[in-house]
């Protein structure tokens, strides 16, 4: 089955069972400085597991593009890709184990036609010391669906427990968590004893591939270390679309599925080299995976750079170039592979098709830049030149140098590299400071206060400067709010004073911050302020700040967090600085003091 067919079948299947279809979010998360990329379907939904009502109800389904930088080193094996789609269905306090396991089994066997006997499952074995019972309930449900007892294995919390902080012992008081049950596809290949004496579903020998995981969030850790039932129980399912496609083809190699194979096939055609050549398979996989990741990343607005998301993109492109050169001595340009990624996804991810030209230009520029120094850099590397010089002069990402060294049985001093990098970056601190990171630095008390005050400030700026003013970016920490907005000229001090007064008046009145949900079109039509409308679902959360006397100070599209009333905001709001940010964009720095 093709990737598109499976995605559609999955969405339709859960839609027919009362689930609202919600759009996936872009790869770069908004308002979440703790992580560079969205790496699972549940990540952007976390607020709804922590109690916020989802505007689409208690059952939702989607396919979320995910990126796992932590898996970059795994690329080259049969089942990991940095970028993949995670099929997800969720219950927010609605259905639980029985429905989830039954539906999943039905989807896999009736819709995808995977023989039930090919499936193995794992369940939580329990932990008496923590008072957590063995998950016999899930096991019994699997059994009732025809999964043989021999195919049901129990593992400890390290494998079959989910919480944000890991195993139950690591969870702080108040944290929710629960058991999970994973499904594996059995390729029935011979066990490779290099991976351990006996084969089992979590063994890495290649016989089994994890295709999906159902998390049952039902406990909350208590202050005394025990676990109490949550009043409302949730289900979070995540299944790898690429891996499901591989299972339907009965191939343990995810690169053989229709989407990824297009890139592999194009690369074979251009180089004359064979994917099956055992010496080259890994390089083929790295190139196919990395160009795909790069295309999606650029499509979501990332540009190559030496920091954060941009650096990961740079690593993908540069490593792909280094590996494409291993496949063929004749230079193959990565540009030639871009369309093999865009075409199969153009209908579901139109944004990459729309940005094709920009994607090609970005890849090409980065490739040209790197190829200028690659050959000389390789010579320097062979001579044993310092990795720091390889990075700064020849553009070798440290991880690439490390990989090259490892392959030659050499090691590099990563600590020394980090030390030199730190010294180098303070040299150019201004550059780092000018870099503009979006969103809230944390969701602490003071940052939250400043976030609400920033909404008021935007409303004030629009009141005194005009409706052309919109947010162009924001970065809020416990110290200050840095806010970019669309406006061409310098804002005079007397206007800034008026804006300050507007904010402080709302604070003094103890205005209430209320969330209302409404259809996106209605919100737009009624004058709710917002940037990036296209990123929001059909039903949106509108934050309204209204005083008891009826004055509405702000109505803005947002995902929170905010104070409940402005009485919670301590201090006086002050705009300390106003300056140009980029063409047509001004920047202010504001504080509560
Ligand atoms: P693995 O142990 O195989 O790396 P995981 O435990 O990290 O998987 P989860 O975090 O449970 O996986 O993610 C849910 C599902 O997403 C998995 O069951 C798998 O099907 C898929 N998945 C996870 N990581 C990848 C990846 N790097 N490439 C492709 N699919 C993946
Ligand atoms: Mg993993």
């Amino acid at each position: 089955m093709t990737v598109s067919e499976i995605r559609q079948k999955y969405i339709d299947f859960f839609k027919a069972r009362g689930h609202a279809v919600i759009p996936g979010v872009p790869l770069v998360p908004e308002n979440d400085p703790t992580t560079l990329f969205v790496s699972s379907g549940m990540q952007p939904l976390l607020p709804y597991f922590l109690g916020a009502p989802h505007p689409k109800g208690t059952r939702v389904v989607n396919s979320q593009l995910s990126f796992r930088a932590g898996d970059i080193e795994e690329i080259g094996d049969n089942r990991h890709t940095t970028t993949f789609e995670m099929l997800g269905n969720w219950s927010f306090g609605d259905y639980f184990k029985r429905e989830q396991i039954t539906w999943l089994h039905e989807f896999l066997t009736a819709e995808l036609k995977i023989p039930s006997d090919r499936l193995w499952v794992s369940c939580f074995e329990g932990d008496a010391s923590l008072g957590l019972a063995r998950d016999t309930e899930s096991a019994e449900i699997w059994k009732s669906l025809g999964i043989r007892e021999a195919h049901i294995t129990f593992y400890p919390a390290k494998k079959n427990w989910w919480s944000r902080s890991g195993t139950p012992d690591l969870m702080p008081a108040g944290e929710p968590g629960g058991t999970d049950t994973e499904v594996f596809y059995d390729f029935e290949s011979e066990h490779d004893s290099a991976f351990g004496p006996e084969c089992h579903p979590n063994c890495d020998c290649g016989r089994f591939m994890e295709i999906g995981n159902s998390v049952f969030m039902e406990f909350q850790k208590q202050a005394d270390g025990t676990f109490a039932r949550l009043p409302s129980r949730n289900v979070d399912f995540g299944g790898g679309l690429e891996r499901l496609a591989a299972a339907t083809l009965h191939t343990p190699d995810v690169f053989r599925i229709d989407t990824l194979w297009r890139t592999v096939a194009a690369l074979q055609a251009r180089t004359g080299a064979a994917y099956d050549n055992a010496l080259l398979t890994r390089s083929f996989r790295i190139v196919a995976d990395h160009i795909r990741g790069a295309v999606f990343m650029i499509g979501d607005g990332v540009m190559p750079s030496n920091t954060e998301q941009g650096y990961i993109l740079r690593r993908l492109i540069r490593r792909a170039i280094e590996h494409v050169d291993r496949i063929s001595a004749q230079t193959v340009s990565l540009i030639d592979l871009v369309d093999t990624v865009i075409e199969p996804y153009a209908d579901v991810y139109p944004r990459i098709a729309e940005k094709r030209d920009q994607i090609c230009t970005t890849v090409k520029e980065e490739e040209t830049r790197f190829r200028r120094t690659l050959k000389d850099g390789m010579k320097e590397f062979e001579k044993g030149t310092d990795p720091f010089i390889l990075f700064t002069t020849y553009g070798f990402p440290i991880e690439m140098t490390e990989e090259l060294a490892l392959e030659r049985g050499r090691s590099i001093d990563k600590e020394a590299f980090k030390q030199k990098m730190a010294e180098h970056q303070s040299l150019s601190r201004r550059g780092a400071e000018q870099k503009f990171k979006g969103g809230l630095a944390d969701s602490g008390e003071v940052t939250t206060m400043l976030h609400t005050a920033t909404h008021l400030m935007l409303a004030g700026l629009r009141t005194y400067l005009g409706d052309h003013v919109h947010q162009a970016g924001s970065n809020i920490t416990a110290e200050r709010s840095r806010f970019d907005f669309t406006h061409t000229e310098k804002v005079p001090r007397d206007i800034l004073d008026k804006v300050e007064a507007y904010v402080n008046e709302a604070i003094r009145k103890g205005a209430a911050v209320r969330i209302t949900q409404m259809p996106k079109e209605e919100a737009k039509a009624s004058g709710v302020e917002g940037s990036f409308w296209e990123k929001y679902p059909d039903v949106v959360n509108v934050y309204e700040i209204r005083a008891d006397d009826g004055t509405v100070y702000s109505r803005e599209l947002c995902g929170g967090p905010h104070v409940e009333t402005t009485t919670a905001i301590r201090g006086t709001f002050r705009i300390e600085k106003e300056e140009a940010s980029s063409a047509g964009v001004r920047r202010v720095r504001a504080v509560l003091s």
Side-chain angles (χ1 to χ4, degrees), residues 264-398:
V264 172
L267 204 49
Q268 288 197 122
R270 287 194 177 266
T271 59
Y275 175 77
D276 286 334
N277 177 344
L279 294 173
L280 298 179
T281 307
R282 185 164 167 273
S283 290
F284 266 95
R285 289 172 174 171
I286 288 172
V287 176
D289 171 77
H290 285 16
I291 186 66
R292 185 164 83 135
V295 166
F296 276 112
M297 237 186 241
I298 302 166
D300 278 347
V302 181
M303 293 297 278
S305 76
N306 281 342
T307 53
E308 299 179 351
Q309 287 95 347
Y311 179 64
I312 305 282
L313 172 60
R314 171 156 285 169
R315 268 175 75 185
L316 291 184
I317 297 178
R318 295 190 174 195
R319 189 178 187 220
I321 292 167
E322 198 262 305
H323 278 274
V324 94
D325 286 1
R326 294 189 195 194
I327 296 171
S328 164
Q330 304 157 333
T331 304
V332 172
S333 168
L334 294 185
I335 298 292
D336 300 336
L337 304 174
V338 167
D339 284 330
T340 66
V341 179
I342 294 182
E343 279 160 14
Y345 291 105
D347 54 342
V348 206
Y349 297 98
R351 58 186 190 263
I352 59 170
E354 285 155 17
K355 288 199 185 165
R356 181 182 176 275
D357 291 349
Q358 192 200 326
I359 292 169
C360 288
T361 310
T362 306
V363 170
K364 197 180 169 106
E365 281 173 2
E366 182 67 5
E367 181 162 355
T368 308
R369 211 176 292 137
F370 189 48
R371 284 204 181 278
R372 244 181 249 143
T373 55
L374 176 58
K375 257 202 200 112
D376 289 344
M378 280 307 237
K379 277 189 213 140
E380 291 298 320
F381 167 78
E382 297 299 351
K383 278 195 236 159
T385 298
D386 186 339
F388 178 70
I389 304 290
L390 289 176
F391 176 67
T392 48
T393 310
Y394 299 94
F396 278 34
I398 181 68

Side-chain angles (χ1 to χ4, degrees), residues 38 53 85 108 139-140 160 237 344 366 375 384 496 506 524 558 577:
V38 170
E85 281 183 77
L108 296 173
E140 286 304 321
N160 285 85
F237 171 75
E366 182 67 5
K375 257 202 200 112
L496 295 179
K524 240 185 191 171
C558 190
K577 202 164 151 191

Side-chain angles (χ1 to χ4, degrees), residues 144-328:
S144 75
L145 299 168
I147 301 290
R148 279 193 277 146
E149 197 142 6
H151 284 203
I152 303 173
T153 47
F154 289 88
Y155 289 96
K158 211 162 172 285
K159 287 286 177 199
N160 285 85
W161 179 273
W162 180 90
S163 86
R164 284 187 294 180
S165 24
T167 48
D169 50 312
L170 298 176
M171 290 163 65
E175 191 68 10
T179 63
D180 61 24
T181 176
E182 299 185 327
V183 184
F184 301 81
Y185 185 86
D186 181 2
F187 291 102
E188 296 180 337
S189 51
E190 282 288 313
H191 173 60
D192 179 347
S193 58
F195 293 87
E198 297 218 9
C199 203
H200 59 102
N202 274 309
C203 170
D204 284 328
C205 78
R207 174 175 166 188
F208 294 101
M209 178 159 72
E210 184 192 325
I211 53 179
N213 185 7
S214 304
V215 177
F216 301 115
M217 235 175 274
E218 69 175 314
F219 299 109
Q220 185 179 40
K221 187 145 176 192
Q222 305 298 299
D224 64 2
T226 60
F227 290 82
R229 293 262 159 144
L230 280 170
S232 139
R233 304 185 299 181
N234 306 309
V235 176
D236 158 37
F237 171 75
L241 177 53
E242 289 77 0
R243 293 190 187 178
L244 284 164
T248 64
L249 300 175
H250 192 59
T251 170
D253 181 355
V254 292
F255 290 86
R256 301 242 177 220
I257 65 173
D258 63 307
T259 51
L260 286 160
W261 190 255
R262 265 194 203 226
T263 311
V264 172
L267 204 49
Q268 288 197 122
R270 287 194 177 266
T271 59
Y275 175 77
D276 286 334
N277 177 344
L279 294 173
L280 298 179
T281 307
R282 185 164 167 273
S283 290
F284 266 95
R285 289 172 174 171
I286 288 172
V287 176
D289 171 77
H290 285 16
I291 186 66
R292 185 164 83 135
V295 166
F296 276 112
M297 237 186 241
I298 302 166
D300 278 347
V302 181
M303 293 297 278
S305 76
N306 281 342
T307 53
E308 299 179 351
Q309 287 95 347
Y311 179 64
I312 305 282
L313 172 60
R314 171 156 285 169
R315 268 175 75 185
L316 291 184
I317 297 178
R318 295 190 174 195
R319 189 178 187 220
I321 292 167
E322 198 262 305
H323 278 274
V324 94
D325 286 1
R326 294 189 195 194
I327 296 171
S328 164

Side-chain angles (χ1 to χ4, degrees), residues 418-476:
K418 277 191 200 155
Q419 181 66 34
K420 286 178 191 167
M421 275 305 286
E423 285 162 20
H424 174 71
Q425 263 151 10
S426 43
L427 278 177
S428 60
R429 183 169 331 134
R430 279 198 67 210
E433 259 176 14
Q434 272 167 10
K435 196 173 58 65
F436 198 37
K437 212 165 137 260
L440 306 192
D442 56 66
S443 48
E445 200 190 357
V446 183
T447 308
T448 305
M449 288 178 199
L450 262 170
H451 184 204
T452 305
T454 303
H455 271 226
L456 291 166
M457 174 174 70
L458 173 59
L461 288 167
R462 286 169 57 80
T463 303
Y464 295 107
L465 293 175
D467 284 348
H468 62 279
V469 172
H470 298 287
Q471 174 182 332
S474 76
N475 175 262
I476 304 173

